[in-house]
Amino acid sequence: MTATSSTGMKQDSNVNAGGGHGWPRRGSQAQPHLDGSKFPPSQPVNVNRPINLYPLTNYTFGTKEPLFEKDPSVPARFQRMREEFEKIGMRRSVEGVLLVHEHGLPHVLLLQLGTTFFKLPGGELNAGEDEVEGLKRLLTETLGRQDGIKQDWIVEDTIGNWWRPNFEPPQYPYIPPHITKPKEHKKLFLVQLGEKALFAVPKNYKLVAAPLFELYDNSQGYGPIISSLPQSLCRFSFIYV
């Protein structure tokens, strides 16, 4: 903001003329960073990222053999996490956010187990496995069709990072400052669905389409990660095809 008084304008002129004091003039050379390097030139940013959403009715849902968790109980899960942490370190997990629309509203596809448990499709990565390729593998294992036709999963963008600081259920969208070795890193990716697809759902799960307004601020029903999806997705521009 430029000062309106003549005195202010004169001072501003003197500062600029001195060279090396005050704000650099627009178009001047990049200033050195603290480490001696110069700031890289600015890159164009896509500020209106479009994502195509297709109607729920475009998709066909079949069934396949049940898909069971690796652990029979929550305590068993954390016991296995402890044992693996000693061998390979922090667990890496990935989950996919698959979107459709119904009645002009975005819906997230969720796996429902029983009456109250919901989860995003995904799971644990193998040691050294690439995140995107691992997510594609897990999506195929969870929802991939059974007729031999390869499913095309288009992983668009990262929409969230969650951390488990201890061998306990709580997860956070940051690493607490006193935690030097998180026990799990969970990464959420937006997956662009094709115009039509066939999904094979394990018999012990239901695949439900939950509207964003139902997830919003509803951690009691869906947990902190799924209930935060409306905020994570609001930076995208949805195109209802």
Side-chain angles (χ1 to χ4, degrees), residues 201-215:
V201 184
K203 291 180 180 179
N204 56 329
Y205 283 98
K206 291 181 182 178
L207 190 63
V208 298
L212 290 188
F213 69 81
E214 185 177 315
L215 304 181

Side-chain angles (χ1 to χ4, degrees), residues 6-38:
S6 59
T7 303
M9 293 176 66
K10 183 177 180 182
Q11 290 174 343
D12 187 58
S13 175
N14 288 340
V15 168
N16 284 335
H21 298 285
W23 297 104
R25 290 180 177 179
R26 184 174 300 177
S28 61
Q29 292 184 345
Q31 298 299 308
H33 196 30
L34 294 177
D35 60 1
S37 63
K38 291 187 176 182

Side-chain angles (χ1 to χ4, degrees), residues 35-47:
D35 60 1
S37 63
K38 291 187 176 182
F39 293 112
S42 60
Q43 299 295 326
V45 178
N46 188 348
V47 296

Side-chain angles (χ1 to χ4, degrees), residues 154-181:
I154 301 174
V155 180
E156 278 285 345
D157 203 349
T158 303
I159 60 172
N161 288 277
W162 288 77
W163 306 85
R164 189 188 306 276
N166 301 302
F167 299 110
E168 298 171 351
Q171 299 176 77
Y172 303 93
Y174 57 88
I175 303 176
H178 63 285
I179 298 297
T180 58
K181 295 181 178 180

Side-chain angles (χ1 to χ4, degrees), residues 120-179:
L120 293 165
E124 303 170 23
L125 293 174
N126 297 322
E129 186 175 22
D130 177 77
E131 293 173 340
V132 172
E133 293 306 313
L135 177 60
K136 292 179 179 180
R137 171 184 64 80
L138 290 161
L139 289 175
T140 298
E141 291 176 4
T142 307
L143 296 173
R145 51 197 298 166
Q146 300 290 283
D147 54 8
I149 298 177
K150 185 178 179 181
Q151 202 93 359
D152 187 21
W153 305 106
I154 301 174
V155 180
E156 278 285 345
D157 203 349
T158 303
I159 60 172
N161 288 277
W162 288 77
W163 306 85
R164 189 188 306 276
N166 301 302
F167 299 110
E168 298 171 351
Q171 299 176 77
Y172 303 93
Y174 57 88
I175 303 176
H178 63 285
I179 298 297

